[in-house]
Amino acid sequence: RIIQEQLNNVIRHAEATRVSVSLISSQDRLLLLVADNGKGCDPAEGVKGVGIINMKTRASLHGASVVILSQPGEGFQLHVIFPLGGVMPA
């Protein structure tokens, strides 16, 4: 649902020509990264749309944190960091 919500945001707001979705795992965490080359925004002005709020709520239900990296004209990156409680099943 987090990926779906962010892709909807890209389609609706970013005016992007590219988007990438990555999952990167380590022993203690899983990183979800959704990045685009769209118009970006200034996070200091507050990124508080309903979609962002929903993603933060869903992430927090799993103990994850959300980091947003963006600047006007420089695209948008959504990082969701999920802690892993041990070894992932094979």
Side-chain angles (χ1 to χ4, degrees), residues 18-38:
R18 288 182 310 218
V19 63
S20 65
V21 178
S22 303
L23 285 172
I24 303 163
S25 66
S26 68
Q27 228 174 353
D28 62 344
R29 68 183 180 177
L30 177 68
L31 169 65
L32 165 63
L33 171 61
V34 183
D36 68 60
N37 69 339

Side-chain angles (χ1 to χ4, degrees), residues 66-78:
V66 174
V67 177
I68 294 171
L69 303 173
S70 185
Q71 291 183 8
E74 298 295 323
F76 191 97
Q77 291 185 28
L78 175 75

